[in-house]
mmCIF file of all heavy atoms in Angstrom:
data_model
loop_
_atom_site.group_PDB
_atom_site.id
_atom_site.type_symbol
_atom_site.label_atom_id
_atom_site.label_comp_id
_atom_site.label_asym_id
_atom_site.label_seq_id
_atom_site.Cartn_x
_atom_site.Cartn_y
_atom_site.Cartn_z
ATOM 1 N N ASP A 1246 0.816 -1.227 0.000
ATOM 2 C CA ASP A 1246 0.000 0.000 0.000
ATOM 3 C C ASP A 1246 0.850 1.279 0.000
ATOM 4 O O ASP A 1246 0.526 2.250 0.693
ATOM 5 C CB ASP A 1246 -0.941 0.017 1.218
ATOM 6 C CG ASP A 1246 -1.791 -1.251 1.277
ATOM 7 O OD1 ASP A 1246 -2.403 -1.574 0.245
ATOM 8 O OD2 ASP A 1246 -1.802 -1.901 2.323
ATOM 9 N N ILE A 1247 1.917 1.294 -0.757
ATOM 10 C CA ILE A 1247 2.761 2.482 -0.860
ATOM 11 C C ILE A 1247 2.103 3.498 -1.784
ATOM 12 O O ILE A 1247 1.576 3.151 -2.838
ATOM 13 C CB ILE A 1247 4.164 2.118 -1.415
ATOM 14 C CG1 ILE A 1247 4.773 0.970 -0.624
ATOM 15 C CG2 ILE A 1247 5.079 3.336 -1.411
ATOM 16 C CD1 ILE A 1247 5.100 1.278 0.781
ATOM 17 N N ASN A 1248 2.149 4.766 -1.393
ATOM 18 C CA ASN A 1248 1.594 5.849 -2.199
ATOM 19 C C ASN A 1248 2.743 6.551 -2.936
ATOM 20 O O ASN A 1248 3.568 7.224 -2.309
ATOM 21 C CB ASN A 1248 0.857 6.842 -1.295
ATOM 22 C CG ASN A 1248 -0.050 7.764 -2.089
ATOM 23 O OD1 ASN A 1248 0.111 7.906 -3.296
ATOM 24 N ND2 ASN A 1248 -0.983 8.413 -1.409
ATOM 25 N N ILE A 1249 2.800 6.395 -4.240
ATOM 26 C CA ILE A 1249 3.956 6.855 -5.014
ATOM 27 C C ILE A 1249 3.543 7.916 -6.032
ATOM 28 O O ILE A 1249 2.551 7.757 -6.746
ATOM 29 C CB ILE A 1249 4.605 5.670 -5.767
ATOM 30 C CG1 ILE A 1249 4.957 4.538 -4.799
ATOM 31 C CG2 ILE A 1249 5.853 6.135 -6.514
ATOM 32 C CD1 ILE A 1249 5.396 3.262 -5.491
ATOM 33 N N LEU A 1250 4.326 8.989 -6.103
ATOM 34 C CA LEU A 1250 4.131 10.034 -7.108
ATOM 35 C C LEU A 1250 5.266 9.929 -8.124
ATOM 36 O O LEU A 1250 6.443 9.949 -7.748
ATOM 37 C CB LEU A 1250 4.143 11.412 -6.447
ATOM 38 C CG LEU A 1250 3.928 12.634 -7.349
ATOM 39 C CD1 LEU A 1250 2.631 12.527 -8.137
ATOM 40 C CD2 LEU A 1250 3.953 13.911 -6.519
ATOM 41 N N ILE A 1251 4.912 9.794 -9.388
ATOM 42 C CA ILE A 1251 5.913 9.571 -10.434
ATOM 43 C C ILE A 1251 5.853 10.694 -11.458
ATOM 44 O O ILE A 1251 4.788 11.004 -12.002
ATOM 45 C CB ILE A 1251 5.685 8.224 -11.137
ATOM 46 C CG1 ILE A 1251 5.719 7.072 -10.120
ATOM 47 C CG2 ILE A 1251 6.724 8.003 -12.229
ATOM 48 C CD1 ILE A 1251 5.268 5.746 -10.688
ATOM 49 N N ALA A 1252 7.004 11.301 -11.738
ATOM 50 C CA ALA A 1252 7.115 12.328 -12.775
ATOM 51 C C ALA A 1252 7.894 11.749 -13.948
ATOM 52 O O ALA A 1252 9.094 11.473 -13.824
ATOM 53 C CB ALA A 1252 7.810 13.576 -12.228
ATOM 54 N N GLU A 1253 7.215 11.537 -15.064
ATOM 55 C CA GLU A 1253 7.823 10.941 -16.262
ATOM 56 C C GLU A 1253 7.019 11.397 -17.472
ATOM 57 O O GLU A 1253 5.796 11.230 -17.499
ATOM 58 C CB GLU A 1253 7.834 9.419 -16.147
ATOM 59 C CG GLU A 1253 8.193 8.671 -17.412
ATOM 60 C CD GLU A 1253 9.589 8.971 -17.921
ATOM 61 O OE1 GLU A 1253 10.559 8.583 -17.251
ATOM 62 O OE2 GLU A 1253 9.687 9.609 -18.994
ATOM 63 N N ASP A 1254 7.679 11.963 -18.469
ATOM 64 C CA ASP A 1254 6.948 12.531 -19.608
ATOM 65 C C ASP A 1254 6.755 11.550 -20.752
ATOM 66 O O ASP A 1254 5.999 11.835 -21.677
ATOM 67 C CB ASP A 1254 7.659 13.784 -20.129
ATOM 68 C CG ASP A 1254 9.037 13.472 -20.704
ATOM 69 O OD1 ASP A 1254 9.838 12.837 -19.997
ATOM 70 O OD2 ASP A 1254 9.310 13.858 -21.858
ATOM 71 N N ASN A 1255 7.438 10.401 -20.714
ATOM 72 C CA ASN A 1255 7.338 9.443 -21.807
ATOM 73 C C ASN A 1255 6.251 8.417 -21.504
ATOM 74 O O ASN A 1255 6.298 7.722 -20.483
ATOM 75 C CB ASN A 1255 8.686 8.753 -22.019
ATOM 76 C CG ASN A 1255 8.690 7.862 -23.240
ATOM 77 O OD1 ASN A 1255 8.107 6.791 -23.224
ATOM 78 N ND2 ASN A 1255 9.343 8.298 -24.297
ATOM 79 N N GLU A 1256 5.266 8.297 -22.407
ATOM 80 C CA GLU A 1256 4.117 7.432 -22.166
ATOM 81 C C GLU A 1256 4.516 5.977 -21.983
ATOM 82 O O GLU A 1256 3.944 5.259 -21.148
ATOM 83 C CB GLU A 1256 3.123 7.538 -23.335
ATOM 84 C CG GLU A 1256 2.565 8.938 -23.559
ATOM 85 C CD GLU A 1256 3.391 9.731 -24.567
ATOM 86 O OE1 GLU A 1256 4.602 9.421 -24.711
ATOM 87 O OE2 GLU A 1256 2.853 10.641 -25.192
ATOM 88 N N TYR A 1257 5.495 5.515 -22.763
ATOM 89 C CA TYR A 1257 5.925 4.121 -22.658
ATOM 90 C C TYR A 1257 6.585 3.852 -21.311
ATOM 91 O O TYR A 1257 6.348 2.822 -20.684
ATOM 92 C CB TYR A 1257 6.910 3.801 -23.795
ATOM 93 C CG TYR A 1257 6.291 2.977 -24.882
ATOM 94 C CD1 TYR A 1257 5.248 3.479 -25.650
ATOM 95 C CD2 TYR A 1257 6.727 1.686 -25.150
ATOM 96 C CE1 TYR A 1257 4.669 2.723 -26.649
ATOM 97 C CE2 TYR A 1257 6.151 0.929 -26.161
ATOM 98 C CZ TYR A 1257 5.127 1.460 -26.901
ATOM 99 O OH TYR A 1257 4.549 0.709 -27.883
ATOM 100 N N LYS A 1258 7.421 4.801 -20.871
ATOM 101 C CA LYS A 1258 8.095 4.612 -19.588
ATOM 102 C C LYS A 1258 7.098 4.688 -18.438
ATOM 103 O O LYS A 1258 7.249 3.999 -17.425
ATOM 104 C CB LYS A 1258 9.204 5.646 -19.428
ATOM 105 C CG LYS A 1258 10.359 5.439 -20.407
ATOM 106 C CD LYS A 1258 11.387 6.547 -20.308
ATOM 107 C CE LYS A 1258 12.457 6.379 -21.375
ATOM 108 N NZ LYS A 1258 13.406 7.515 -21.421
ATOM 109 N N GLN A 1259 6.074 5.536 -18.586
ATOM 110 C CA GLN A 1259 5.014 5.576 -17.578
ATOM 111 C C GLN A 1259 4.372 4.207 -17.424
ATOM 112 O O GLN A 1259 4.169 3.715 -16.309
ATOM 113 C CB GLN A 1259 3.952 6.603 -17.982
ATOM 114 C CG GLN A 1259 4.374 8.046 -17.855
ATOM 115 C CD GLN A 1259 3.268 8.998 -18.278
ATOM 116 O OE1 GLN A 1259 2.222 8.583 -18.762
ATOM 117 N NE2 GLN A 1259 3.504 10.288 -18.097
ATOM 118 N N LEU A 1260 4.033 3.604 -18.543
ATOM 119 C CA LEU A 1260 3.388 2.292 -18.538
ATOM 120 C C LEU A 1260 4.298 1.233 -17.925
ATOM 121 O O LEU A 1260 3.870 0.407 -17.109
ATOM 122 C CB LEU A 1260 3.005 1.907 -19.967
ATOM 123 C CG LEU A 1260 2.249 0.591 -20.172
ATOM 124 C CD1 LEU A 1260 0.944 0.594 -19.390
ATOM 125 C CD2 LEU A 1260 1.986 0.367 -21.656
ATOM 126 N N LEU A 1261 5.587 1.253 -18.295
ATOM 127 C CA LEU A 1261 6.536 0.263 -17.796
ATOM 128 C C LEU A 1261 6.739 0.385 -16.287
ATOM 129 O O LEU A 1261 6.727 -0.616 -15.563
ATOM 130 C CB LEU A 1261 7.877 0.423 -18.522
ATOM 131 C CG LEU A 1261 8.990 -0.541 -18.115
ATOM 132 C CD1 LEU A 1261 8.578 -1.979 -18.366
ATOM 133 C CD2 LEU A 1261 10.278 -0.229 -18.871
ATOM 134 N N ILE A 1262 6.919 1.620 -15.797
ATOM 135 C CA ILE A 1262 7.122 1.826 -14.358
ATOM 136 C C ILE A 1262 5.884 1.387 -13.584
ATOM 137 O O ILE A 1262 5.972 0.680 -12.568
ATOM 138 C CB ILE A 1262 7.438 3.306 -14.052
ATOM 139 C CG1 ILE A 1262 8.767 3.710 -14.694
ATOM 140 C CG2 ILE A 1262 7.510 3.543 -12.544
ATOM 141 C CD1 ILE A 1262 9.026 5.205 -14.693
ATOM 142 N N ALA A 1263 4.712 1.801 -14.050
ATOM 143 C CA ALA A 1263 3.466 1.457 -13.357
ATOM 144 C C ALA A 1263 3.257 -0.052 -13.328
ATOM 145 O O ALA A 1263 2.892 -0.615 -12.285
ATOM 146 C CB ALA A 1263 2.294 2.159 -14.036
ATOM 147 N N ASP A 1264 3.491 -0.716 -14.454
ATOM 148 C CA ASP A 1264 3.307 -2.166 -14.511
ATOM 149 C C ASP A 1264 4.262 -2.883 -13.564
ATOM 150 O O ASP A 1264 3.895 -3.866 -12.909
ATOM 151 C CB ASP A 1264 3.516 -2.671 -15.941
ATOM 152 C CG ASP A 1264 2.319 -2.375 -16.842
ATOM 153 O OD1 ASP A 1264 1.281 -1.933 -16.315
ATOM 154 O OD2 ASP A 1264 2.428 -2.584 -18.054
ATOM 155 N N THR A 1265 5.511 -2.409 -13.493
ATOM 156 C CA THR A 1265 6.501 -3.021 -12.609
ATOM 157 C C THR A 1265 6.086 -2.883 -11.150
ATOM 158 O O THR A 1265 6.116 -3.848 -10.377
ATOM 159 C CB THR A 1265 7.884 -2.369 -12.819
ATOM 160 O OG1 THR A 1265 8.294 -2.559 -14.167
ATOM 161 C CG2 THR A 1265 8.918 -2.983 -11.887
ATOM 162 N N LEU A 1266 5.661 -1.691 -10.752
ATOM 163 C CA LEU A 1266 5.288 -1.455 -9.357
ATOM 164 C C LEU A 1266 4.024 -2.231 -8.975
ATOM 165 O O LEU A 1266 3.946 -2.813 -7.894
ATOM 166 C CB LEU A 1266 5.076 0.042 -9.125
ATOM 167 C CG LEU A 1266 6.329 0.918 -9.283
ATOM 168 C CD1 LEU A 1266 5.965 2.393 -9.166
ATOM 169 C CD2 LEU A 1266 7.393 0.544 -8.258
ATOM 170 N N LYS A 1267 3.049 -2.252 -9.878
ATOM 171 C CA LYS A 1267 1.805 -2.989 -9.596
ATOM 172 C C LYS A 1267 2.060 -4.493 -9.502
ATOM 173 O O LYS A 1267 1.373 -5.206 -8.762
ATOM 174 C CB LYS A 1267 0.779 -2.705 -10.686
ATOM 175 C CG LYS A 1267 0.209 -1.295 -10.632
ATOM 176 C CD LYS A 1267 -0.706 -1.027 -11.825
ATOM 177 C CE LYS A 1267 -1.228 0.403 -11.814
ATOM 178 N NZ LYS A 1267 -2.039 0.701 -13.018
ATOM 179 N N LYS A 1268 3.039 -4.966 -10.258
ATOM 180 C CA LYS A 1268 3.355 -6.396 -10.273
ATOM 181 C C LYS A 1268 3.952 -6.852 -8.949
ATOM 182 O O LYS A 1268 3.700 -7.962 -8.485
ATOM 183 C CB LYS A 1268 4.334 -6.676 -11.411
ATOM 184 C CG LYS A 1268 4.688 -8.144 -11.602
ATOM 185 C CD LYS A 1268 5.594 -8.313 -12.816
ATOM 186 C CE LYS A 1268 5.953 -9.765 -13.065
ATOM 187 N NZ LYS A 1268 6.840 -9.924 -14.239
ATOM 188 N N PHE A 1269 4.732 -5.958 -8.298
ATOM 189 C CA PHE A 1269 5.497 -6.400 -7.133
ATOM 190 C C PHE A 1269 5.069 -5.793 -5.805
ATOM 191 O O PHE A 1269 5.500 -6.266 -4.759
ATOM 192 C CB PHE A 1269 6.985 -6.097 -7.353
ATOM 193 C CG PHE A 1269 7.595 -6.864 -8.490
ATOM 194 C CD1 PHE A 1269 8.132 -6.210 -9.583
ATOM 195 C CD2 PHE A 1269 7.620 -8.240 -8.472
ATOM 196 C CE1 PHE A 1269 8.694 -6.918 -10.634
ATOM 197 C CE2 PHE A 1269 8.172 -8.956 -9.510
ATOM 198 C CZ PHE A 1269 8.705 -8.297 -10.598
ATOM 199 N N ILE A 1270 4.252 -4.737 -5.804
ATOM 200 C CA ILE A 1270 3.867 -4.108 -4.539
ATOM 201 C C ILE A 1270 2.350 -4.197 -4.381
ATOM 202 O O ILE A 1270 1.610 -3.470 -5.050
ATOM 203 C CB ILE A 1270 4.314 -2.633 -4.478
ATOM 204 C CG1 ILE A 1270 5.822 -2.522 -4.708
ATOM 205 C CG2 ILE A 1270 3.956 -2.026 -3.117
ATOM 206 C CD1 ILE A 1270 6.335 -1.106 -4.720
#
């Protein structure tokens, strides 16, 4: 249940970071 704020302007990297975090946390 970590609350994370992510600043990233690239749509692909947004998707990759979000998928990684959702997969493991």
Side-chain angles (χ1 to χ4, degrees):
D1246 306 309
I1247 309 294
N1248 196 341
I1249 305 171
L1250 181 56
I1251 302 170
E1253 169 62 68
D1254 65 307
N1255 187 286
E1256 300 92 334
Y1257 255 64
K1258 292 175 185 174
Q1259 288 180 354
L1260 183 59
L1261 180 60
I1262 296 168
D1264 283 351
T1265 300
L1266 295 174
K1267 289 174 183 176
K1268 184 176 181 180
F1269 295 119
I1270 304 178

